[in-house]
Amino acid sequence: MDDVTAAALSKIPIFNGLEPDVLDKIASHAHQNTYKKGKILFIHGDIAEHYYIVKSGHVKLFRETLDGTQTVIDVLSENDIFGHSLLFEDNRYPSSAEIAQTGVIISLPLSDLREEMYKNNDIAVNLLRAITLQLNHKDRELEHRFTQSATQRIGCFLLRQALKDKTGRPVITLPYDKMLLAARLGMQPETFSRALSRLKKKTGMKIEGACIHLDTLDRLSTYTCSSCSVKFPCKDLINKS
Amino acid sequence: MDDVTAAALSKIPIFNGLEPDVLDKIASHAHQNTYKKGKILFIHGDIAEHYYIVKSGHVKLFRETLDGTQTVIDVLSENDIFGHSLLFEDNRYPSSAEIAQTGVIISLPLSDLREEMYKNNDIAVNLLRAITLQLNHKDRELEHRFTQSATQRIGCFLLRQALKDKTGRPVITLPYDKMLLAARLGMQPETFSRALSRLKKKTGMKIEGACIHLDTLDRLSTYTCSSCSVKFPCKDLINKS
DNA sequence: CGAGAAGTTGAGCGGCATCAATTGTAGTGG
DNA sequence: CCACTACAATTGATGCCGCTCAACTTCTCG
């Protein structure tokens, strides 16, 4: 349990442009901690008391049904924030959170955010900006699940990953293991494996473990984006939170 | 193009608890209009200048891919609000809106809301409340699409409709036609038809056009909710926006 | 009453899940 | 350092759910 500096927080979008004293106050109640893979941060239905920022590693948000089936809602990476949408509601987490890859997580009390939001319009507006963005992403997600094939969903993910790394960079690194990626994209590991090798044939990319090499994104994008409502260099889709 | 009274607006959640003068100002820029079925309010990609409130009828929000496939994002009913999540972004509508059933729609300028949001923290907080709710609903939607069968998705919709009408009321009325409902639930009309009759066999309900009679919700809920992460009387799911 | 759309029903098919077997890989302890 | 174990990843066989195409019936409305 280490302390967190205001400077570290100031990089997070929802704390943009805040007065130093506000930032200090928020930072004074923040704690950061290293969690190992497999650690459960909270379970669906728990009373929500904190929201979190991922400093490193990955966090899986998911929900389980009575029969044990697990749906992955999202997988979060560096500087992503989660739990901040529980300002109202009945204050129970709508999903469970598990550390998917060992890393550092900052936890902050929701009560602070709630209090601040009523007093400080900047925070309210920042939150609004973050959450409307998220909402739009969810809509896209829904469209993709519906219109794209498993193979296209992988291609779409790879393209956005490539755009995020560096524009047109021909080396894509899978950010986490394939099982998690498959779950994140709403398919079985077996399907993922088969779909990836189909993509390989169709686009001529070379796969070496977690590294994927390709000469140009063209073949990938024409195959993938044919059944999407957004024209290819879909820059508005690459940033989250 | 008729004028809108402040009293009419005060019923909408995002305008809750506002000062009368603010409400008057907002109302003074609002217009209501009757639109016929099939009318397109805006198209995906248009510059967003208004947000809307449904006073009657139904509105279909959807997106189209290059190959013409249409994904229904949502279907809105009385007192639902849409377009209010475009306060930031590049100000383009992320989906198209079409009148699915003739009705009265109020349109309001987004610029007002944007301006007011910065000045008036109550509005910002109200918006935040509305949009976090929406976000949580989208998560559920995504889960349902993934874990439930087509038949269960219909059952789930019927249950929430029943809860919305009156607790445990054994008569459910389909709010709009079956083609639209099928699209809303992410399936083809043929699949809907078959799934509904399967549901009829499994739960013993009686279907007469848009009216569905059943003695108790028990059989329906046990069949439907077995693959859901929320225990049955899922009251938090019945209200939107 | 007729035209066109909504809704139903049947036949066939394809994508993805499931089950099962095998290989690859990373972490553990002797 | 290597053998052992556990899990990740791949590959094959099979089956089911929902999509597609097509024909037919029912409903709605001018």
Side-chain angles (χ1 to χ4, degrees), chain B residues 149-150 188 190-191 194:
Chain B
S149 69
Q188 301 302 314
E190 297 96 324
T191 304
R194 281 185 255 265

Side-chain angles (χ1 to χ4, degrees), chain B residues 67-117:
Chain B
D67 56 23
T69 322
Q70 181 169 301
T71 314
V72 172
I73 308 290
D74 208 349
V75 175
L76 305 165
S77 308
E78 193 180 341
N79 286 333
D80 282 338
I81 177 171
F82 63 104
H84 60 305
S85 60
L86 296 165
L87 295 161
F88 312 95
E89 293 294 300
D90 54 356
N91 295 328
R92 292 177 182 276
Y93 291 111
S95 61
S96 309
E98 179 187 330
I99 303 294
Q101 193 175 96
T102 303
V104 177
I105 309 290
I106 298 176
S107 60
L108 306 107
L110 273 168
S111 53
D112 269 22
L113 193 60
R114 209 170 284 140
E115 190 185 318
E116 211 61 45
M117 159 185 89

Side-chain angles (χ1 to χ4, degrees), chain B residues 58-176:
Chain B
H58 294 285
V59 176
K60 175 174 76 171
L61 296 185
F62 65 101
R63 211 176 284 155
E64 265 170 341
T65 61
L66 293 174
D67 56 23
T69 322
Q70 181 169 301
T71 314
V72 172
I73 308 290
D74 208 349
V75 175
L76 305 165
S77 308
E78 193 180 341
N79 286 333
D80 282 338
I81 177 171
F82 63 104
H84 60 305
S85 60
L86 296 165
L87 295 161
F88 312 95
E89 293 294 300
D90 54 356
N91 295 328
R92 292 177 182 276
Y93 291 111
S95 61
S96 309
E98 179 187 330
I99 303 294
Q101 193 175 96
T102 303
V104 177
I105 309 290
I106 298 176
S107 60
L108 306 107
L110 273 168
S111 53
D112 269 22
L113 193 60
R114 209 170 284 140
E115 190 185 318
E116 211 61 45
M117 159 185 89
Y118 285 108
K119 288 193 311 199
N120 185 333
N121 198 54
D122 288 342
I123 285 213
V125 170
N126 280 349
L127 276 168
L128 211 40
R129 182 181 286 112
I131 292 180
T132 51
L133 242 179
Q134 268 185 284
L135 189 60
N136 287 330
H137 279 290
K138 279 277 136 69
D139 279 347
R140 293 276 157 71
E141 192 83 26
L142 212 58
E143 177 190 330
H144 285 170
R145 290 270 174 118
F146 190 60
T147 58
Q148 294 184 321
S149 69
T151 315
Q152 287 174 320
R153 247 156 31 223
I154 297 177
C156 181
F157 182 89
L158 294 181
L159 281 173
R160 279 175 289 149
Q161 199 64 26
L163 293 173
K164 197 191 276 180
D165 284 357
K166 223 164 274 183
T167 319
R169 185 174 124 186
V171 182
I172 302 168
T173 309
L174 299 182
Y176 33 81

Side-chain angles (χ1 to χ4, degrees), chain A residues 41-56:
Chain A
L41 288 178
F42 51 77
I43 289 188
H44 165 230
D46 283 358
I47 292 175
E49 288 174 342
H50 294 89
Y51 63 110
Y52 301 86
I53 296 167
V54 182
K55 285 316 290 177
S56 63

Side-chain angles (χ1 to χ4, degrees), chain A residues 100 108 117 158-159 173 185-186 220 241:
Chain A
L108 306 109
M117 157 187 90
L158 294 181
L159 281 172
T173 309
L185 297 174
L220 188 53
S241 80

